[in-house]
Amino acid sequence: MTTTTPRPPEGDWLGTPYLRFTREGPFGVCTLDRPEARNAMTPAMYFGIRYAVRHVDADPDLAGLLITGTGDVFAPGGDMGGGDGSDNWLTFGSALGMDVTPFETLRQSVKPVVSAVNGLCQGGGLQIALCSDMAVVSDRATFRVPELFRGIADTYYSQMLARLIGPVRTRDLMFTGRTLTAAEAAQWGMVARVVPHEELLDAAREVLGQCCRTAPAARSTVKSSLDNYMGLFDRIGMQASYSSPEALEGFRSFKERRSPDWVHPDLRIDGRI
């Protein structure tokens, strides 16, 4: 379904033309579809995924939700251009509070959610994969946490990754911003399964079906126990960082394809990191 008139989510319409919601038997499928921006996520896209989770939870005809992307990109995180064609990082940054992003909603979902990670996955996109009940990933997928390059104190990542992979590997990912392969992500325990790229969607549907066959009330109790283990994060500090001088400089330097001014002159490089 497409529309040129902005309107809020309703039914299978997720509120933005960049998300497609389709029904495949017992499953709802949410596809990120913004190839012209390599699936960079607008605030409406983040909110639309949150809505999709609740939509599936409330629909008796659907047993679970599958989230995937188009082309060779799952999701690279938020659109650094502001999401609406503007250059207003302040507006976009303030829109990324926990009332818009889907991470907590994914952690609270009643019905199973599986992310089928088809390619590049970083920033908020990786957080979607981590907060899903399971992530099944293509052997071509790559993972990255570039937030510190942008001046964002992402305490959600520092909390969740430390629980999943330990503080040493968390520092490796966050302080260097290096790219992790699918095989490394599986070895580290960040994702559940790696499959050949051509088999990704079939494998993800199979995993989602297996999850949907478990007892809902018992599964919810286990999910709650796991959620308690993951714990909370510094939401106030993270939200404040979105409008900090470092975040503003991180955005400007990204747009201007240069190193931020906090980088020592001898270490500055041209282009985006």
Side-chain angles (χ1 to χ4, degrees):
M1 181 178 183
T2 60
T3 183
T4 57
T5 303
R7 61 187 181 91
E10 180 183 12
D12 289 355
W13 166 249
L14 302 185
T16 169
Y18 303 133
L19 292 178
R20 288 186 284 111
F21 187 91
T22 54
R23 292 169 180 260
E24 299 183 6
F27 305 141
V29 180
C30 176
T31 304
L32 283 71
D33 188 15
R34 197 186 177 205
E36 67 277 10
R38 300 212 17 104
N39 286 351
M41 300 187 69
T42 68
M45 291 171 71
Y46 275 122
F47 187 84
I49 291 175
R50 173 182 171 173
Y51 171 83
V53 175
R54 294 301 188 213
H55 181 46
V56 170
D57 279 349
D59 192 324
D61 293 330
L62 296 174
L65 175 65
L66 184 71
I67 302 174
T68 193
T70 51
D72 62 350
V73 178
F74 177 69
D79 187 337
M80 293 291 284
D84 58 358
S86 73
D87 288 334
N88 192 344
W89 167 254
L90 279 173
T91 299
F92 184 63
S94 64
L96 289 183
M98 298 311 295
D99 55 338
V100 173
T101 52
F103 315 136
E104 296 298 283
T105 302
L106 285 163
R107 288 173 62 170
Q108 298 165 16
S109 66
V110 176
K111 296 178 182 177
V113 180
V114 169
S115 283
V117 181
N118 54 297
L120 185 148
C121 180
Q122 66 178 33
L126 177 54
Q127 201 65 265
I128 289 170
L130 294 178
C131 290
S132 299
D133 292 304
M134 290 185 66
V136 180
V137 309
S138 160
D139 55 6
R140 301 179 189 174
T142 59
F143 305 88
R144 189 166 175 250
V145 185
E147 273 71 7
L148 288 177
F149 288 131
R150 315 293 179 238
I152 297 172
D154 199 316
T155 59
Y156 208 124
Y157 266 127
S158 59
Q159 172 73 25
M160 176 169 276
L161 285 175
R163 288 289 194 182
L164 287 174
I165 63 176
V168 173
R169 285 173 167 169
T170 296
R171 283 194 293 269
D172 186 357
L173 281 183
M174 296 194 72
F175 289 179
T176 71
R178 77 179 182 92
T179 298
L180 205 65
T181 66
E184 287 175 309
Q187 181 184 10
W188 285 17
M190 285 177 60
V191 301
R193 307 185 191 188
V194 177
V195 299
H197 184 76
E198 298 76 14
E199 301 173 13
L200 175 64
L201 290 179
D202 286 341
R205 291 187 192 98
E206 178 61 27
V207 168
L208 182 56
Q210 292 169 348
C211 292
C212 291
R213 294 185 184 99
T214 59
R219 184 179 65 236
S220 178
T221 299
V222 170
K223 182 162 180 166
S224 177
S225 175
L226 292 170
D227 188 67
N228 287 334
Y229 171 77
M230 297 307 297
L232 299 176
F233 65 103
D234 181 3
R235 293 168 292 179
I236 294 174
M238 181 173 171
Q239 186 66 33
S241 79
Y242 283 129
S243 56
S244 70
E246 283 191 351
L248 294 175
E249 171 60 12
F251 168 68
R252 292 191 193 100
S253 62
F254 179 85
K255 296 291 288 183
E256 296 170 7
R257 297 179 179 272
R258 61 172 174 81
S259 291
D261 61 12
W262 64 69
V263 178
H264 188 283
D266 293 347
L267 295 175
R268 292 176 185 173
I269 59 176
D270 294 328
R272 293 174 177 171
I273 300 178

